[in-house]
Each structure stands twice: as C-alpha cells, then as structure tokens.
Amino acid sequence: MELQRPFLKWAGGKTRLVSAIGAVVPVTARRLVEPFVGSGAVALNLGLPENLLADTNADLIGVYARLRDAPEAFITECSGLFTPEANSAAVYYQRREEFNAAADPARRAALFVYLNRHGYNGLCRYNARGGFNVPFGRYRAPYFPRDELGAFHALLRRSTLVQADFRAVLAQAGPGDFVYCDPPYVPASATANFTAYARTAFGPAEQEALAVCCDAARQRGAIVALSN
C-alpha cells in the first residue's frame, strides 16, 4: 500500500509506523479516536469510516477546520504565500509576527501552513507568552502540498474535529472504536524536550493520567494502542 503523506511537517510524525499501527486495528473498528492528532498521518492512512480527531493545539485544529469548511479558498490563500520571494528570513519573521498578532482565523490558518513549511524542521513550538517562536528553516525551495491538502480534505469530510484535552476525548471512546495515542514523549534529555508545543507542559502526571484514561476506554470496549 502506498502511504499518503500529510500536508503538514510534524516532529514525531507516524507515517513510517502506519503499517504497524494498522496491523492491530480490529476488523470491527468503525471509528478512529485520536486525542493527539498532530499531522494526521495515522488517520489519513488507516481509512476508517469515521474519525474523532482532537488536539489541544488551537492553531492545528483551526487549520483543519478551515480546510474542511472552505477547501478551495484555503488552498488558494496558502498557495499565494509560497513564492520564491517569501522564502527568506526577513519575510518569514515578518509573517511569524503577523501570525502571532492575527485574530482572523482564516488568515491565521494560512500563515500556519506557511510557517510550518518554511520553519526549522517542521517544529511547532510556542514561548511562555503563547507566541510561535520556531526559527526560519533555510530550505532551498519549500514544497507547497497542494495534492496533500486535497487528500486531507477528503479525510476531514468523515471526521469530527475537537480542540480538547485527552481526558475529554478518551471519555468518548467505547465499543467499535480504535484509539491511537501519540502523546508528547518523556524528554530523552534536557535539550530534547517536545512536551510544550501546545503552550502547556505534558509531564509525568499527564503521562500517568493518560494511562488511566486509556485503561478506562479499554474497559468500555475500545481497542487502544499507544506510542511512548
């Protein structure tokens, strides 16, 4: 099976693990429940009839909602940001500043895609004040993912989007659901910390709470897989 790639670059994306994850999905599963959707690589490739896609990152869910609700306008606006002139540190930091000040959801969503593809290593990171602070990536020619945006729109047509904490999302899982959790990992070192990408830390207490919530979902009849 040829894997579909998501339109967002994402640290810790699961495209390479989709086959292994798919191997544990029961044939009776009707819905994927994903509390940490990230780039959506798992949902995009599992192909279940229904999806509950959630994340605490409001910008990420905002991008998906915009693509779901106005695909043509959104793709057109995003493509207009991908020009040779825009692939410079000066333009990048100007647009990063605009993004951090933006109140219009449509403009903010388009800028997020630009920043994601032009920023360093596809990172999504915020400072203590909630400002996006990923540096310029210095790529030769950032790729505009037009086809990938179209494929993801097809996924969103059979998906419910939620900006919510994993506890609220997992509480909805039960019989017929396949739950996949890919939480921020416990840092391997002091300089390899990916736990604060959504403005709030995900520490040991959250890891323990996640285990409890996953076990509760399993007891209600869901099949649960978790990466950590």
Side-chain angles (χ1 to χ4, degrees):
M1 178 183 72
E2 184 177 353
L3 297 178
Q4 298 188 74
R5 295 195 171 274
F7 67 91
L8 293 175
K9 298 168 68 175
W10 210 254
K14 291 296 172 286
T15 302
R16 291 180 295 176
L17 293 183
V18 165
S19 296
I21 296 166
V24 300
V25 179
V27 295
T28 55
R30 297 293 301 167
R31 182 175 71 158
L32 169 67
V33 177
E34 212 177 343
F36 309 92
V37 64
S39 69
V42 173
L44 188 62
N45 286 284
L46 288 188
L48 291 185
E50 300 176 46
N51 303 274
L52 174 57
L53 307 180
D55 207 283
T56 57
N57 189 316
D59 291 322
L60 181 66
I61 297 301
V63 167
Y64 293 158
R66 177 65 175 162
L67 177 59
R68 178 196 61 194
D69 298 339
E72 293 183 8
F74 181 59
I75 293 172
T76 297
E77 183 171 5
C78 289
S79 67
L81 298 175
F82 283 66
T83 63
E85 297 76 20
N87 187 28
S88 71
V91 174
Y92 177 86
Y93 290 117
Q94 179 184 33
R95 288 182 173 171
R96 192 180 74 174
E97 185 176 346
E98 180 189 356
F99 171 81
N100 284 328
D104 175 50
R107 180 62 175 173
R108 191 172 176 91
L111 287 168
F112 187 92
V113 176
Y114 166 85
L115 294 172
N116 174 263
R117 284 278 167 177
H118 290 75
Y120 179 74
N121 207 28
L123 293 177
C124 182
R125 189 185 65 193
Y126 301 86
N127 61 29
R129 298 184 301 276
F132 188 88
N133 67 353
V134 176
F136 181 54
R138 301 187 184 280
Y139 299 108
R140 185 184 299 274
Y143 170 68
F144 179 63
R146 186 180 301 275
D147 292 342
E148 290 85 349
L149 282 159
F152 209 92
H153 174 253
L155 165 68
L156 292 172
R157 293 178 63 184
R158 61 180 195 276
S159 301
T160 298
L161 294 172
V162 179
Q163 183 208 343
D165 180 83
F166 67 86
R167 298 169 183 84
V169 179
L170 288 172
Q172 303 179 49
D177 289 334
F178 174 70
V179 176
Y180 177 64
C181 295
D182 181 36
Y185 296 166
V186 174
S189 70
T191 58
N193 192 337
F194 296 98
T195 64
Y197 88 104
R199 301 187 181 91
T200 55
F202 198 94
E206 286 74 25
Q207 297 285 354
E208 293 178 12
L210 176 60
V212 171
C213 291
C214 284
D215 189 56
R218 179 191 62 81
Q219 292 186 48
R220 292 193 301 271
I223 300 299
V224 181
L226 185 146
S227 300
N228 217 324

